[in-house]
Amino acid sequence: MSKVEVFEKIRLAHRDDGLSIRALSELFKVHRRDVRAALLSAVPPERKRPVRSAPVTGEWRAWIKQILVADREAPKKQRHTAKRIHDRLAAEKQVMISPSTCRHLVAVLRAEVAAEAAVAGSLPVKVFVPQTRLPGKEAEVDWGQFQAVIGGVTVTLHLFAMWSAFATCGFHRAYANEAQESFTDGHVRAFARFNGVPLLVRYDNLKTAVVKILKGRSRIENQQFIALRSHYGFESFFCEPGVEGAHEKGGVEGDIGRYRRNFLTPIPTFATLADLNTHLEECDRKDAERWVHGRAGGIGSTAGGLARLEQGQMWSLPAEPFAAVSRLDARVDTKARVCVRQSFYSVPARFVGQRVAVLLGAETVTMSHANINIAAHVRAIQRKTEVLDLDHYLEVLWRRPGALPSSTALVQARASGRFRPEHQQLWDLARRRLGDGAGTRVLCDVLLLHRNHPTADVLAGITAALAVDNIDPAVIAVETRRAIEHQQPPEPAAGERVPDLTTYDSLLGRKPE
């Protein structure tokens, strides 16, 4: 029975039965002063808390408070922590107290210092106005960093997040950097995921969006960002610089922290960045199942349900997505490479010394010459790395076969699985029979077949030739064509339309009869 209920019974017994204070005390087994208190008020008085002395820390309160007051003028990253104050007490004052006691005292004194500063006016008190987020009206964009193990190497990656203010869920994708092409690619993919474009998107002053901050809200904006905004038709809002504007897009900042704690802890490990992003897509689907209160008329719904609800309130997607690439120009060096953002990518050796056009995307690098694509690579995650294709060096290796065994392109082909055990078996047998030079030329001739024929069929041709103990590239080419022709459909029955075999002829490199 609670004390309020006891007080009620005492008051009723006194009113109805006229019992004395002593009788009421004996009846309800309480002290007489409690009876007097119940007769005076139906609400029990608050319990008096004893004032306890602090014999160890009491005399040092003023000293610690003085340190905390002085810290308000010190650089933010060089202010005293509770541990540092504990260490100074032990070293300078020979005062030994427990770390937990010191932490508690510092927390109390910090609150006192902050309150005094606010009253004195040195710490302005900010008042925040509650906001109602309407469906499809606002989104927020920001970057966050996290670590991951990609291909056995620990790297720092950048998490692009676009957060819906109404649905409280968003789009997340990992990039190797925060460059313009990554920033643009994140928008294109996010709008495609939302199946619409929010009317307004909030940003801080990212260099990929803002070239220069002017007075007030005025900005000189990046030309590529202006083109992106024009293509999709949304409005942009830039927050105040520094910590003063952090609350203006606090939703996405909180979302990045929550996402990192729930889906990127412990450190994720994947073979490639593409595998990691596939995992993040699944994480977004799981996060969409989270229940959100206070939306959809105050009832609430899942984040995914709210996202579907606001799709009809967004701008429609344009017919074509925005080209999220940067157009560059580079010269091919003597190693048949072009340098793009401090990483090297191979092109066919015949373009050495020439200038080629480069389309740099967030995850791909494509080179072209005379408007014809000549090479395409997955973009490197780390700088100062080489991304080489063995096929680009085959003509050179045919003339200089001794360079193949230790070539970087071969090492990368093995690591990626493009250089298969069948290739190695053929190469070993050819070198045993013909010698290193001639045997390597046989391998180069066979690898050239991959330019015009599917990989599976070339491997089938190698297997068939090795089965009869033959290493002649011409025989392997014939067996490759047989593997392709074996996949052709059977002869049509009477009245059926004859299929067009031009595709097969082109795979074989021959003209249709």
Side-chain angles (χ1 to χ4, degrees):
M1 185 183 300
S2 68
K3 201 166 186 176
V4 176
E5 293 174 320
V6 174
F7 271 37
E8 181 188 24
K9 292 183 180 299
I10 291 173
R11 292 169 65 87
L12 291 176
H14 177 71
R15 185 193 66 185
D16 298 338
D17 301 331
L19 297 179
S20 65
I21 292 177
R22 181 184 294 275
L24 291 170
S25 173
E26 293 176 353
L27 177 62
F28 292 104
K29 302 295 189 294
V30 296
H31 198 277
R32 290 192 296 276
R33 66 171 168 269
D34 291 332
V35 175
R36 294 188 182 94
L39 298 179
L40 289 174
S41 173
V43 180
E46 293 185 3
R47 181 178 178 180
K48 295 182 179 179
R49 298 183 180 275
V51 179
R52 295 185 174 90
S53 62
V56 178
T57 61
E59 60 179 308
W60 302 111
R61 287 177 61 94
W63 184 77
I64 296 174
K65 189 172 182 178
Q66 184 180 2
I67 291 176
L68 297 177
V69 171
D71 269 356
R72 301 194 64 82
E73 305 298 328
K76 187 174 182 180
K77 294 186 178 180
Q78 292 178 262
R79 296 176 183 175
H80 284 77
T81 62
K83 180 181 182 303
R84 179 56 183 152
I85 292 176
H86 176 269
D87 294 343
R88 286 190 61 184
L89 280 171
E92 300 176 19
K93 307 298 182 181
Q94 288 74 48
V95 177
M96 304 304 296
I97 60 175
S98 68
S100 60
T101 300
C102 186
R103 286 196 300 269
H104 175 72
L105 178 59
V106 169
V108 171
L109 293 178
R110 273 209 179 101
E112 289 183 8
V113 170
E116 292 172 1
V119 171
S122 61
L123 182 66
V125 178
K126 290 188 176 181
V127 179
F128 300 96
V129 180
Q131 301 288 301
T132 297
R133 305 299 188 181
L134 300 177
K137 302 300 182 183
E138 290 187 20
E140 299 174 9
V141 168
D142 203 358
W143 288 99
Q145 291 188 356
F146 69 99
Q147 286 193 333
V149 179
I150 304 297
V153 179
T154 302
V155 295
T156 298
L157 298 176
H158 303 263
L159 183 69
F160 175 90
M162 180 178 286
W163 182 80
S164 167
F166 174 75
T168 72
C169 68
F171 166 86
H172 305 85
R173 192 170 182 85
Y175 292 95
N177 52 53
E178 297 181 11
Q180 184 71 54
E181 53 274 6
S182 302
F183 179 72
T184 307
D185 183 77
H187 280 77
V188 174
R189 293 178 182 273
F191 294 150
R193 173 80 63 80
F194 292 165
N195 195 25
V197 182
L199 277 62
L200 181 139
V201 183
R202 293 176 179 266
Y203 303 89
D204 57 17
N205 298 280
L206 304 166
K207 290 183 179 180
T208 46
V210 174
V211 176
K212 186 177 181 179
I213 301 174
L214 303 178
K215 186 176 180 180
R217 298 284 183 180
S218 299
R219 304 288 189 272
I220 297 178
E221 298 173 358
N222 185 290
Q223 296 299 308
Q224 183 80 349
F225 173 72
I226 295 175
L228 171 72
R229 186 178 59 195
S230 174
H231 185 83
Y232 285 101
F234 64 90
E235 296 182 21
S236 58
F237 176 91
F238 296 104
C239 303
E240 293 183 27
V243 296
E244 292 80 6
H247 67 279
E248 294 182 335
K249 60 172 188 60
V252 68
E253 293 187 355
D255 173 73
I256 290 174
R258 180 186 61 83
Y259 197 87
R260 192 160 41 205
R261 290 188 297 272
N262 286 277
F263 300 112
L264 298 174
T265 303
I267 294 177
T269 302
F270 290 92
T272 64
L273 183 60
D275 293 337
L276 171 60
N277 280 320
T278 300
H279 170 71
L280 295 184
E281 291 177 8
E282 180 61 29
C283 292
D284 282 350
R285 283 192 286 271
K286 291 180 180 178
D287 188 53
E289 300 173 0
R290 172 174 45 85
W291 186 265
V292 181
H293 297 276
R295 295 290 196 277
I299 301 174
S301 174
T302 62
L306 294 174
R308 290 188 292 272
L309 178 64
E310 69 174 349
Q311 283 182 0
Q313 308 299 321
M314 295 184 178
W315 297 123
S316 300
L317 290 172
E320 295 292 334
F322 187 76
V325 295
S326 297
R327 302 177 186 277
L328 308 173
D329 185 71
R331 182 178 293 277
V332 182
D333 64 15
T334 56
K335 296 181 180 179
R337 307 172 309 175
V338 295
C339 183
V340 182
R341 300 284 169 82
Q342 300 184 38
S343 292
F344 294 89
Y345 302 88
S346 67
V347 298
R350 65 181 180 275
F351 294 102
V352 167
Q354 301 185 45
R355 300 199 71 84
V356 296
V358 180
L359 290 181
L360 179 63
E363 300 172 357
T364 59
V365 181
T366 305
M367 277 73 73
S368 63
H369 184 266
N371 296 324
I372 299 176
N373 289 343
I374 60 174
H377 297 279
V378 175
R379 184 168 177 176
I381 296 177
Q382 295 178 303
R383 296 180 179 180
K384 307 296 184 182
T385 57
E386 293 180 308
V387 181
L388 308 180
D389 189 341
L390 181 60
D391 179 75
H392 295 160
Y393 298 91
L394 290 180
E395 288 86 356
V396 178
L397 291 171
W398 196 93
R399 295 193 303 270
R400 292 186 288 176
L404 178 60
S406 58
S407 64
T408 305
L410 177 60
V411 173
Q412 294 187 4
R414 293 184 193 276
S416 65
R418 298 182 66 181
F419 192 83
R420 305 291 292 274
E422 293 87 344
H423 298 133
Q424 186 65 50
Q425 186 179 358
L426 171 67
W427 191 18
D428 292 340
L429 182 58
R431 283 191 295 179
R432 283 198 300 270
R433 291 186 179 179
L434 306 176
D436 290 340
T440 300
R441 290 189 179 95
V442 168
L443 175 66
C444 291
D445 286 335
V446 174
L447 291 176
L448 287 169
L449 292 174
H450 287 284
R451 293 185 178 177
N452 299 313
H453 306 303
T455 299
D457 296 319
V458 175
L459 295 177
I462 295 174
T463 302
L466 292 178
V468 294
D469 200 28
N470 195 306
I471 58 172
D472 188 347
V475 174
I476 295 175
V478 171
E479 294 296 337
T480 299
R481 294 178 180 178
R482 286 181 178 176
I484 295 173
E485 291 171 346
H486 181 69
Q487 299 175 14
Q488 295 186 19
E491 290 295 328
E496 289 186 352
R497 186 177 64 85
V498 179
D500 184 8
L501 299 182
T502 305
T503 302
Y504 298 104
D505 292 326
S506 63
L507 288 174
L508 298 175
R510 65 191 183 193
K511 297 181 179 179
E513 296 180 359

